[in-house]
Amino acid sequence: MLSIIVPIYNVENVLSHCLNSLRFQSYRNIEIILINEGSSDTSGAICDRFARVDSRFKVLHRNVKNISEALNFGLEKAKGEFISFIDPVDRIDVLMFEKLILTIIKHKADMVIANHGEEQIINNKELIESSETVIWTKKMALNKIIDQFQFKSFLCNKLYTSELFRSEPVNKFDVTIDIFGDLVMSVQCILKSKKIIYDPNLHYHYIAYRHVSFFNDLTKEKLSGPKGLLKVIDLAESLDGFDVCMIKEQYINYSILLLMNLLKEENKNRQLIKEAKKNLYHFPLSEVRNQRVKVSCVMARKMTYIYFNIWKKQSG
């Protein structure tokens, strides 16, 4: 059986579409665990309606402090041999889980990473070409995640065996990390896996226009982002021969973005600005190879407000 875990918060306008795409998957032996994170709209009622018409939907109404806690509730309830996570604003192909489960069984793998596409506009369709799966080493899988680093879910284009979460050392989402917990978990699963398969066929569709712009508001989770990325760096350093330079550069890029958005706020919090600026000194510049990142870091450190004015003009 496959357990599909869906964290839900105030997505009433798109939720039914997502849940129908799960309900009518060609692979039928599934349980769909919906964690309603205290939604203030009708998302909870929609979840309950689906559970009434299809017993495979299991609804948990929980007030949680962050998404990591919600996902841990889902894992506690999951009974399947396989685990997957879905963002309720995205879409998946009707054959996705049938194909991924056949792949993971055929190759006796621990996880399958599916290709995913980003859709910028409504009704954007992409051509799906049949391609052969390939075996990825842990280094290849980590490099792919970091190379394609974007502020979006890292969990949802993957199928995992439940043993990655249940066998020792047990993998749980870190509830002290408000953001990038999904990236941390993906890295943990990669490092724990003995065999990883990549499916280059396009199965998962990230619907960009449905996702709120990452820095629309500076909530607690955005401010804690550097902490999550530092944990990713610590994990990646445990893999012999893996070059963490690119992750450190992503940490610097994120810290600069965080600092710029703090400076953009009308009511500036000087203490938060000071803490965000301190992040830029976490790694010596000798560990940064990308010249653009290095120059940006130096300017953000030494000429903060000049860099801010340049950034503001470029970002519109």
Side-chain angles (χ1 to χ4, degrees):
M1 185 170 71
L2 165 65
S3 297
I4 304 170
I5 299 172
V6 188
I8 293 162
Y9 183 73
N10 288 354
V11 286
E12 60 182 1
N13 293 332
V14 296
L15 182 56
S16 293
H17 179 76
C18 171
L19 299 187
N20 275 320
S21 75
L22 298 177
R23 184 183 178 194
F24 297 111
Q25 281 288 301
S26 61
Y27 184 81
R28 305 293 295 169
N29 188 20
I30 60 177
E31 63 172 358
I32 306 158
I33 302 171
L34 310 178
I35 306 105
N36 175 35
E37 306 173 47
S39 297
S40 58
D41 64 4
T42 62
S43 294
I46 294 171
C47 293
D48 290 335
R49 187 172 74 243
F50 271 82
R52 285 195 297 270
V53 299
D54 190 329
S55 62
R56 296 177 302 168
F57 286 90
K58 317 293 183 183
V59 184
L60 301 174
H61 297 284
R62 296 293 181 104
N63 288 315
V64 295
K65 67 178 183 179
N66 59 25
I67 192 172
S68 292
E69 188 175 328
L71 293 173
N72 279 336
F73 280 129
L75 285 174
E76 288 173 11
K77 297 296 182 181
K79 299 176 182 178
E81 180 184 357
F82 305 104
I83 305 285
S84 192
F85 304 88
I86 296 296
D87 192 311
V89 306
D90 295 332
R91 74 177 179 90
I92 62 174
D93 296 330
V94 68
L95 295 174
M96 173 174 163
F97 287 121
E98 179 181 349
K99 291 181 177 179
L100 295 187
I101 285 176
L102 286 173
T103 297
I104 205 169
I105 292 173
K106 175 184 177 181
H107 293 277
K108 298 181 179 179
D110 300 288
M111 62 185 295
V112 179
I113 302 174
N115 191 11
H116 65 283
E118 182 168 321
E119 298 185 8
Q120 298 286 350
I121 58 175
I122 298 173
N123 295 325
N124 181 30
K125 303 291 184 181
E126 299 191 40
L127 178 65
I128 303 176
E129 296 181 357
S130 179
S131 302
E132 294 298 320
T133 57
V134 293
I135 298 174
W136 271 2
T137 64
K138 295 178 183 181
K139 289 181 184 179
M140 291 169 68
L142 286 181
N143 274 320
K144 187 71 170 180
I145 286 180
I146 302 306
D147 186 50
Q148 293 186 338
F149 185 94
Q150 295 183 33
F151 301 133
K152 60 186 181 186
S153 177
F154 296 88
L155 288 172
C156 297
N157 64 322
K158 300 172 180 65
L159 177 69
Y160 312 83
T161 60
S162 60
E163 286 301 298
L164 287 177
F165 301 96
R166 295 170 183 159
S167 65
E168 295 294 335
V170 173
N171 277 340
K172 285 190 174 182
F173 291 90
D174 188 339
V175 297
T176 69
I177 296 177
D178 294 298
I179 198 168
F180 297 132
D182 55 350
L183 175 58
V184 172
M185 178 58 77
S186 293
V187 172
Q188 288 175 321
C189 287
I190 287 170
L191 293 177
K192 194 174 179 180
S193 295
K194 295 178 181 177
K195 181 181 282 190
I196 301 166
I197 302 296
Y198 175 65
D199 184 344
N201 297 292
L202 186 62
H203 295 300
Y204 191 90
H205 303 264
Y206 177 85
I207 314 298
Y209 63 87
R210 291 180 182 169
H211 288 261
V212 177
S213 178
F214 192 83
F215 276 108
N216 261 10
D217 58 340
L218 281 171
T219 59
K220 178 186 174 184
E221 65 176 18
K222 310 298 192 304
L223 297 171
S224 67
K227 177 184 177 182
L229 292 175
L230 287 177
K231 184 163 185 178
V232 172
I233 291 169
D234 288 341
L235 287 167
E237 284 179 330
S238 68
L239 183 60
D240 289 341
F242 184 79
D243 185 1
V244 298
C245 179
M246 190 181 296
I247 313 178
K248 291 178 179 179
E249 290 170 357
Q250 297 292 3
Y251 170 90
I252 292 171
N253 278 331
Y254 181 89
S255 298
I256 292 173
L257 265 177
L258 180 60
L259 176 60
M260 294 300 103
N261 278 274
L262 284 167
L263 290 171
K264 188 175 70 174
E265 290 200 318
E266 186 174 342
N267 297 316
K268 295 177 177 57
N269 186 317
R270 299 296 174 184
Q271 182 58 35
L272 291 179
I273 290 171
K274 182 179 179 181
E275 292 174 7
K277 192 171 179 180
K278 186 178 178 181
N279 293 335
L280 299 179
Y281 291 86
H282 194 89
F283 299 110
L285 290 177
S286 59
E287 297 181 16
V288 180
R289 287 198 294 267
N290 186 297
Q291 194 62 28
R292 183 192 61 79
V293 175
K294 186 178 293 188
V295 170
S296 295
C297 186
V298 169
M299 291 188 68
R301 284 179 179 182
K302 304 296 185 183
M303 299 175 283
T304 306
Y305 283 92
I306 293 175
Y307 185 85
F308 171 67
N309 287 325
I310 295 171
W311 173 84
K312 189 164 61 172
K313 288 179 181 179
Q314 290 178 343
S315 60

